[in-house]
Amino acid sequence: MELRDEVLREMVLLRERTPDISGSVACTVDGLTVACDLNADNAEQTAALSAALLALSARMAAMAGKGALEETLISGTAGFAAFYAAGPTIVLTVLAEPGTNLGLLRLEGRKTAASVAAIASRKR
């Protein structure tokens, strides 16, 4: 099975486990889409911005002396966007609806990011 298919399977499982998640995108740290589970037409833009945000967040965490980046969470009036480093080469972006249980989002997002990282490391 190809990287894209295995990663997409994990993303679909994430959405099935967490009903308030509306979709997700996995991309390389260079901003290239690996897999997309979104209903939107802007997957490439989401991937590019996700990679840039992850790089900025990791730099800020290091500069502030807060250790390794675990996640970045954006809270907006129409929901949430959570960003996870899935190993050294993949960024996982998860979009969720307003009222989402943030504890569950964080738990499931991290679990999926770890699964995606394991898949990516096997596929090298």
Side-chain angles (χ1 to χ4, degrees):
M1 192 179 278
E2 289 191 31
L3 174 66
R4 178 198 171 282
D5 296 328
E6 287 189 52
V7 170
L8 183 59
R9 187 184 71 220
E10 291 297 324
M11 293 161 57
V12 169
L13 289 171
L14 169 65
R15 189 170 29 87
E16 290 172 354
R17 287 192 309 265
T18 314
D20 291 328
I21 289 177
S22 54
S24 55
V25 174
C27 65
T28 66
V29 293
D30 297 330
L32 302 174
T33 303
V34 172
C36 180
D37 183 35
L38 288 177
N39 291 329
D41 293 330
N42 59 357
E44 283 91 24
Q45 291 175 324
T46 302
L49 287 171
S50 296
L53 181 62
L54 187 82
L56 288 170
S57 297
R59 175 83 186 246
M60 177 58 82
M63 187 181 78
K66 300 302 179 189
L69 176 71
E70 292 184 350
E71 69 189 355
T72 297
L73 179 66
I74 295 175
S75 175
T77 58
F80 304 93
F83 305 84
Y84 303 90
T89 60
I90 306 287
V91 180
L92 176 66
T93 300
V94 181
L95 305 178
E97 301 299 320
T100 294
N101 177 330
L102 293 180
L104 183 60
L105 172 63
R106 294 179 74 202
L107 178 72
E108 294 295 338
R110 288 179 185 181
K111 183 191 319 183
T112 301
S115 296
V116 168
I119 292 165
S121 70
R122 282 196 323 265
K123 295 295 181 177
R124 280 192 200 185

